[in-house]
Short mmCIF file of all heavy atoms in Angstrom, two decimals:
data_model
loop_
_atom_site.label_atom_id
_atom_site.label_comp_id
_atom_site.label_asym_id
_atom_site.label_seq_id
_atom_site.Cartn_x
_atom_site.Cartn_y
_atom_site.Cartn_z
N GLY B 1614 -11.38 5.99 -12.04
CA GLY B 1614 -12.56 5.14 -11.97
C GLY B 1614 -13.42 5.44 -13.17
O GLY B 1614 -13.49 6.59 -13.61
N ILE B 1615 -14.04 4.42 -13.73
CA ILE B 1615 -14.87 4.64 -14.92
C ILE B 1615 -16.22 3.92 -14.77
O ILE B 1615 -16.34 2.94 -14.03
CB ILE B 1615 -14.17 4.15 -16.21
CG1 ILE B 1615 -13.77 2.67 -16.12
CG2 ILE B 1615 -12.96 5.00 -16.51
CD1 ILE B 1615 -13.24 2.08 -17.42
N ALA B 1616 -17.22 4.43 -15.46
CA ALA B 1616 -18.54 3.79 -15.55
C ALA B 1616 -19.25 4.40 -16.74
O ALA B 1616 -19.30 5.63 -16.86
CB ALA B 1616 -19.35 4.02 -14.28
N GLY B 1617 -19.77 3.57 -17.63
CA GLY B 1617 -20.44 4.09 -18.82
C GLY B 1617 -19.49 5.01 -19.58
O GLY B 1617 -18.33 4.69 -19.79
N TRP B 1618 -19.99 6.21 -19.92
CA TRP B 1618 -19.15 7.20 -20.63
C TRP B 1618 -18.43 8.14 -19.66
O TRP B 1618 -17.87 9.15 -20.08
CB TRP B 1618 -20.01 8.02 -21.59
CG TRP B 1618 -20.46 7.24 -22.79
CD1 TRP B 1618 -21.71 6.78 -23.06
CD2 TRP B 1618 -19.65 6.81 -23.89
NE1 TRP B 1618 -21.73 6.09 -24.25
CE2 TRP B 1618 -20.47 6.10 -24.79
CE3 TRP B 1618 -18.29 6.96 -24.21
CZ2 TRP B 1618 -20.00 5.54 -25.97
CZ3 TRP B 1618 -17.80 6.41 -25.39
CH2 TRP B 1618 -18.66 5.71 -26.26
N HIS B 1619 -18.46 7.81 -18.36
CA HIS B 1619 -17.89 8.71 -17.36
C HIS B 1619 -16.55 8.22 -16.84
O HIS B 1619 -16.34 7.02 -16.68
CB HIS B 1619 -18.85 8.86 -16.18
CG HIS B 1619 -20.15 9.46 -16.59
ND1 HIS B 1619 -20.39 10.81 -16.58
CD2 HIS B 1619 -21.29 8.89 -17.06
CE1 HIS B 1619 -21.61 11.05 -17.02
NE2 HIS B 1619 -22.18 9.89 -17.31
N ALA B 1620 -15.66 9.16 -16.56
CA ALA B 1620 -14.37 8.83 -15.96
C ALA B 1620 -14.04 9.85 -14.88
O ALA B 1620 -14.37 11.03 -15.02
CB ALA B 1620 -13.28 8.83 -17.02
N LEU B 1621 -13.42 9.37 -13.81
CA LEU B 1621 -12.87 10.25 -12.78
C LEU B 1621 -11.38 9.97 -12.68
O LEU B 1621 -10.97 8.80 -12.71
CB LEU B 1621 -13.48 9.94 -11.40
CG LEU B 1621 -14.98 10.07 -11.20
CD1 LEU B 1621 -15.33 9.69 -9.76
CD2 LEU B 1621 -15.42 11.49 -11.48
N VAL B 1622 -10.58 11.00 -12.59
CA VAL B 1622 -9.13 10.83 -12.42
C VAL B 1622 -8.67 11.81 -11.34
O VAL B 1622 -9.12 12.96 -11.32
CB VAL B 1622 -8.36 11.08 -13.73
CG1 VAL B 1622 -6.88 10.74 -13.54
CG2 VAL B 1622 -8.94 10.26 -14.87
N CYS B 1623 -7.77 11.33 -10.49
CA CYS B 1623 -7.38 12.14 -9.33
C CYS B 1623 -5.99 11.71 -8.86
O CYS B 1623 -5.67 10.53 -8.87
CB CYS B 1623 -8.39 11.87 -8.22
SG CYS B 1623 -8.03 12.61 -6.65
N THR B 1624 -5.16 12.67 -8.48
CA THR B 1624 -3.87 12.35 -7.87
C THR B 1624 -3.93 12.73 -6.40
O THR B 1624 -4.29 13.86 -6.06
CB THR B 1624 -2.74 13.11 -8.58
OG1 THR B 1624 -2.65 12.63 -9.92
CG2 THR B 1624 -1.39 12.89 -7.89
N THR B 1625 -3.61 11.77 -5.55
CA THR B 1625 -3.65 12.01 -4.11
C THR B 1625 -2.23 12.07 -3.55
O THR B 1625 -1.48 11.09 -3.67
CB THR B 1625 -4.42 10.89 -3.38
OG1 THR B 1625 -5.66 10.69 -4.06
CG2 THR B 1625 -4.66 11.24 -1.93
N TRP B 1626 -1.89 13.19 -2.99
CA TRP B 1626 -0.58 13.33 -2.34
C TRP B 1626 -0.71 12.79 -0.92
O TRP B 1626 -1.79 12.90 -0.34
CB TRP B 1626 -0.16 14.81 -2.33
CG TRP B 1626 1.28 14.98 -2.61
CD1 TRP B 1626 2.23 15.38 -1.73
CD2 TRP B 1626 1.93 14.72 -3.86
NE1 TRP B 1626 3.45 15.39 -2.36
CE2 TRP B 1626 3.30 14.99 -3.65
CE3 TRP B 1626 1.52 14.29 -5.12
CZ2 TRP B 1626 4.26 14.83 -4.66
CZ3 TRP B 1626 2.46 14.13 -6.12
CH2 TRP B 1626 3.81 14.40 -5.89
N PRO B 1627 0.35 12.20 -0.35
CA PRO B 1627 0.23 11.65 1.01
C PRO B 1627 -0.33 12.68 1.99
O PRO B 1627 0.12 13.82 2.01
CB PRO B 1627 1.68 11.29 1.38
CG PRO B 1627 2.38 11.12 0.08
CD PRO B 1627 1.70 12.01 -0.91
N GLY B 1628 -1.36 12.26 2.73
CA GLY B 1628 -1.95 13.14 3.75
C GLY B 1628 -2.98 14.13 3.23
O GLY B 1628 -3.55 14.87 4.01
N GLU B 1629 -3.20 14.14 1.92
CA GLU B 1629 -4.18 15.08 1.36
C GLU B 1629 -5.44 14.34 0.91
O GLU B 1629 -5.48 13.11 0.91
CB GLU B 1629 -3.55 15.84 0.18
CG GLU B 1629 -2.37 16.70 0.60
CD GLU B 1629 -1.74 17.44 -0.57
OE1 GLU B 1629 -2.28 17.41 -1.70
OE2 GLU B 1629 -0.67 18.05 -0.35
N SER B 1630 -6.46 15.10 0.51
CA SER B 1630 -7.72 14.48 0.08
C SER B 1630 -7.55 13.74 -1.24
O SER B 1630 -6.71 14.09 -2.05
CB SER B 1630 -8.78 15.56 -0.13
OG SER B 1630 -9.11 16.12 1.09
N GLY B 1631 -8.38 12.71 -1.42
CA GLY B 1631 -8.31 11.95 -2.66
C GLY B 1631 -9.62 11.26 -2.97
O GLY B 1631 -10.55 11.27 -2.16
N ILE B 1632 -9.66 10.66 -4.11
CA ILE B 1632 -10.88 10.06 -4.64
C ILE B 1632 -11.37 8.90 -3.75
O ILE B 1632 -12.57 8.66 -3.65
CB ILE B 1632 -10.60 9.58 -6.08
CG1 ILE B 1632 -11.90 9.33 -6.85
CG2 ILE B 1632 -9.77 8.32 -6.10
CD1 ILE B 1632 -11.67 9.01 -8.31
N GLY B 1633 -10.45 8.20 -3.09
CA GLY B 1633 -10.80 7.03 -2.30
C GLY B 1633 -11.80 7.36 -1.20
O GLY B 1633 -12.66 6.57 -0.84
N GLU B 1634 -11.70 8.60 -0.68
CA GLU B 1634 -12.58 9.01 0.41
C GLU B 1634 -14.04 9.06 -0.03
O GLU B 1634 -14.94 9.04 0.80
CB GLU B 1634 -12.17 10.40 0.90
CG GLU B 1634 -10.83 10.38 1.57
CD GLU B 1634 -10.27 11.78 1.77
OE1 GLU B 1634 -11.06 12.71 1.92
OE2 GLU B 1634 -9.03 11.90 1.77
N PHE B 1635 -14.24 9.14 -1.33
CA PHE B 1635 -15.61 9.24 -1.84
C PHE B 1635 -16.17 7.87 -2.21
O PHE B 1635 -17.23 7.76 -2.78
CB PHE B 1635 -15.65 10.17 -3.04
CG PHE B 1635 -15.18 11.54 -2.70
CD1 PHE B 1635 -13.90 11.94 -2.99
CD2 PHE B 1635 -16.02 12.42 -2.03
CE1 PHE B 1635 -13.46 13.20 -2.65
CE2 PHE B 1635 -15.59 13.68 -1.68
CZ PHE B 1635 -14.31 14.07 -1.99
N MET B 1636 -15.41 6.85 -1.92
CA MET B 1636 -15.83 5.50 -2.30
C MET B 1636 -15.69 4.58 -1.11
O MET B 1636 -14.77 3.79 -1.04
CB MET B 1636 -14.97 4.98 -3.45
CG MET B 1636 -15.13 5.81 -4.70
SD MET B 1636 -14.13 5.14 -5.99
CE MET B 1636 -14.45 6.30 -7.29
N GLY B 1637 -16.58 4.71 -0.17
CA GLY B 1637 -16.54 3.86 1.02
C GLY B 1637 -16.74 2.40 0.66
O GLY B 1637 -17.17 2.09 -0.44
N LYS B 1638 -16.45 1.53 1.59
CA LYS B 1638 -16.48 0.10 1.32
C LYS B 1638 -17.85 -0.41 0.89
O LYS B 1638 -17.96 -1.29 0.05
CB LYS B 1638 -16.02 -0.67 2.56
CG LYS B 1638 -14.52 -0.91 2.56
CD LYS B 1638 -14.17 -2.09 3.41
CE LYS B 1638 -12.77 -2.52 3.02
NZ LYS B 1638 -12.17 -3.53 3.77
N SER B 1639 -18.90 0.14 1.49
CA SER B 1639 -20.22 -0.41 1.23
C SER B 1639 -20.90 0.25 0.02
O SER B 1639 -22.04 -0.05 -0.30
CB SER B 1639 -21.10 -0.21 2.46
OG SER B 1639 -21.14 1.18 2.77
N THR B 1640 -20.16 1.13 -0.62
CA THR B 1640 -20.72 1.88 -1.75
C THR B 1640 -21.22 0.97 -2.87
O THR B 1640 -20.59 -0.01 -3.21
CB THR B 1640 -19.59 2.78 -2.31
OG1 THR B 1640 -19.48 3.89 -1.46
CG2 THR B 1640 -19.87 3.26 -3.69
N SER B 1641 -22.38 1.35 -3.41
CA SER B 1641 -22.79 0.67 -4.64
C SER B 1641 -22.28 1.53 -5.78
O SER B 1641 -22.77 2.61 -6.03
CB SER B 1641 -24.31 0.56 -4.69
OG SER B 1641 -24.87 1.85 -4.69
N SER B 1642 -21.24 1.06 -6.44
CA SER B 1642 -20.59 1.86 -7.46
C SER B 1642 -21.34 1.67 -8.78
O SER B 1642 -21.82 0.57 -9.07
CB SER B 1642 -19.14 1.42 -7.55
OG SER B 1642 -18.39 2.37 -8.24
N VAL B 1643 -21.44 2.74 -9.58
CA VAL B 1643 -22.38 2.73 -10.68
C VAL B 1643 -21.92 1.96 -11.91
O VAL B 1643 -22.70 1.79 -12.84
CB VAL B 1643 -22.78 4.16 -11.10
CG1 VAL B 1643 -23.43 4.89 -9.94
CG2 VAL B 1643 -21.60 4.95 -11.63
N GLU B 1644 -20.67 1.47 -11.92
CA GLU B 1644 -20.25 0.71 -13.10
C GLU B 1644 -21.06 -0.58 -13.27
O GLU B 1644 -21.19 -1.10 -14.37
CB GLU B 1644 -18.74 0.41 -13.08
CG GLU B 1644 -18.27 -0.54 -12.00
CD GLU B 1644 -18.02 0.16 -10.68
OE1 GLU B 1644 -18.36 1.35 -10.58
OE2 GLU B 1644 -17.52 -0.50 -9.76
N ASN B 1645 -21.61 -1.07 -12.14
CA ASN B 1645 -22.44 -2.28 -12.23
C ASN B 1645 -23.70 -2.01 -13.04
O ASN B 1645 -24.24 -2.89 -13.69
CB ASN B 1645 -22.80 -2.77 -10.83
CG ASN B 1645 -21.57 -3.13 -10.03
OD1 ASN B 1645 -20.61 -3.66 -10.59
ND2 ASN B 1645 -21.57 -2.82 -8.75
N GLU B 1646 -24.14 -0.75 -12.98
CA GLU B 1646 -25.35 -0.37 -13.69
C GLU B 1646 -25.05 0.09 -15.12
O GLU B 1646 -25.84 -0.16 -16.02
CB GLU B 1646 -26.00 0.78 -12.90
CG GLU B 1646 -27.44 1.03 -13.25
CD GLU B 1646 -28.02 2.12 -12.35
OE1 GLU B 1646 -27.63 2.19 -11.16
OE2 GLU B 1646 -28.84 2.89 -12.84
N LEU B 1647 -23.92 0.77 -15.30
CA LEU B 1647 -23.62 1.39 -16.60
C LEU B 1647 -22.62 0.60 -17.44
O LEU B 1647 -22.42 0.90 -18.61
CB LEU B 1647 -23.06 2.81 -16.39
CG LEU B 1647 -23.97 3.83 -15.76
CD1 LEU B 1647 -23.22 5.14 -15.54
CD2 LEU B 1647 -25.19 4.09 -16.64
N GLY B 1648 -21.96 -0.39 -16.85
CA GLY B 1648 -20.92 -1.11 -17.57
C GLY B 1648 -19.67 -0.26 -17.71
O GLY B 1648 -19.56 0.83 -17.16
N VAL B 1649 -18.69 -0.79 -18.44
CA VAL B 1649 -17.41 -0.11 -18.62
C VAL B 1649 -16.97 -0.27 -20.07
O VAL B 1649 -17.07 -1.36 -20.62
CB VAL B 1649 -16.33 -0.65 -17.65
CG1 VAL B 1649 -16.32 0.12 -16.35
CG2 VAL B 1649 -16.55 -2.12 -17.33
N LEU B 1650 -16.50 0.82 -20.68
CA LEU B 1650 -16.25 0.86 -22.12
C LEU B 1650 -14.77 1.06 -22.44
O LEU B 1650 -14.07 1.79 -21.74
CB LEU B 1650 -17.06 2.00 -22.75
CG LEU B 1650 -18.57 1.98 -22.48
CD1 LEU B 1650 -19.22 3.24 -23.03
CD2 LEU B 1650 -19.20 0.74 -23.10
N ALA B 1651 -14.33 0.46 -23.56
CA ALA B 1651 -12.91 0.52 -23.94
C ALA B 1651 -12.37 1.94 -24.10
O ALA B 1651 -11.32 2.27 -23.53
CB ALA B 1651 -12.69 -0.29 -25.22
N PRO B 1652 -13.05 2.83 -24.85
CA PRO B 1652 -12.44 4.15 -25.03
C PRO B 1652 -12.37 4.94 -23.73
O PRO B 1652 -11.46 5.77 -23.56
CB PRO B 1652 -13.36 4.86 -26.04
CG PRO B 1652 -14.60 4.05 -26.10
CD PRO B 1652 -14.26 2.67 -25.67
N VAL B 1653 -13.28 4.67 -22.82
CA VAL B 1653 -13.25 5.39 -21.53
C VAL B 1653 -12.10 4.86 -20.68
O VAL B 1653 -11.38 5.63 -20.03
CB VAL B 1653 -14.60 5.25 -20.80
CG1 VAL B 1653 -14.60 6.08 -19.52
CG2 VAL B 1653 -15.75 5.68 -21.70
N ALA B 1654 -11.89 3.54 -20.73
CA ALA B 1654 -10.77 2.94 -19.98
C ALA B 1654 -9.44 3.47 -20.48
O ALA B 1654 -8.58 3.88 -19.68
CB ALA B 1654 -10.81 1.42 -20.09
N SER B 1655 -9.26 3.51 -21.81
CA SER B 1655 -7.96 3.96 -22.32
C SER B 1655 -7.77 5.46 -22.10
O SER B 1655 -6.66 5.91 -21.83
CB SER B 1655 -7.76 3.57 -23.78
OG SER B 1655 -8.79 4.07 -24.57
N PHE B 1656 -8.85 6.21 -22.19
CA PHE B 1656 -8.77 7.66 -21.93
C PHE B 1656 -8.32 7.92 -20.50
O PHE B 1656 -7.38 8.69 -20.25
CB PHE B 1656 -10.14 8.29 -22.18
CG PHE B 1656 -10.29 9.69 -21.66
CD1 PHE B 1656 -9.74 10.75 -22.35
CD2 PHE B 1656 -10.98 9.94 -20.49
CE1 PHE B 1656 -9.86 12.05 -21.88
CE2 PHE B 1656 -11.11 11.23 -20.01
CZ PHE B 1656 -10.56 12.29 -20.70
N ALA B 1657 -8.98 7.26 -19.55
CA ALA B 1657 -8.64 7.49 -18.13
C ALA B 1657 -7.21 7.02 -17.85
O ALA B 1657 -6.46 7.69 -17.12
CB ALA B 1657 -9.64 6.77 -17.23
N ALA B 1658 -6.81 5.89 -18.45
CA ALA B 1658 -5.45 5.38 -18.25
C ALA B 1658 -4.42 6.34 -18.84
O ALA B 1658 -3.33 6.52 -18.29
CB ALA B 1658 -5.30 3.99 -18.86
N SER B 1659 -4.75 6.99 -19.95
CA SER B 1659 -3.84 7.99 -20.55
C SER B 1659 -3.60 9.14 -19.58
O SER B 1659 -2.47 9.62 -19.44
CB SER B 1659 -4.44 8.59 -21.82
OG SER B 1659 -4.51 7.64 -22.83
N LEU B 1660 -4.68 9.59 -18.93
CA LEU B 1660 -4.54 10.69 -17.99
C LEU B 1660 -3.70 10.26 -16.79
O LEU B 1660 -2.86 11.02 -16.30
CB LEU B 1660 -5.91 11.19 -17.53
CG LEU B 1660 -6.84 11.71 -18.61
CD1 LEU B 1660 -8.09 12.33 -17.98
CD2 LEU B 1660 -6.18 12.75 -19.49
N GLN B 1661 -3.91 9.02 -16.35
CA GLN B 1661 -3.08 8.50 -15.25
C GLN B 1661 -1.61 8.48 -15.67
O GLN B 1661 -0.72 8.84 -14.89
CB GLN B 1661 -3.51 7.08 -14.87
CG GLN B 1661 -4.83 7.02 -14.10
CD GLN B 1661 -5.16 5.58 -13.71
OE1 GLN B 1661 -5.55 4.78 -14.56
NE2 GLN B 1661 -5.00 5.24 -12.45
N ALA B 1662 -1.35 8.04 -16.89
CA ALA B 1662 0.03 7.97 -17.38
C ALA B 1662 0.65 9.36 -17.39
O ALA B 1662 1.80 9.55 -16.97
CB ALA B 1662 0.07 7.36 -18.78
N GLY B 1663 -0.12 10.35 -17.84
CA GLY B 1663 0.38 11.73 -17.86
C GLY B 1663 0.77 12.20 -16.48
O GLY B 1663 1.84 12.80 -16.28
#
Side-chain angles (χ1 to χ4, degrees):
Chain B
I1615 56 172
W1618 288 108
H1619 298 270
L1621 300 179
V1622 186
C1623 174
T1624 295
T1625 310
W1626 220 250
E1629 297 179 7
S1630 292
I1632 197 173
E1634 293 167 29
F1635 301 99
M1636 297 181 182
K1638 270 204 162 174
S1639 57
T1640 281
S1641 61
S1642 196
V1643 300
E1644 67 276 8
N1645 299 323
E1646 197 176 326
L1647 296 176
V1649 269
L1650 305 174
V1653 184
S1655 56
F1656 167 77
S1659 292
L1660 300 187
Q1661 286 182 286

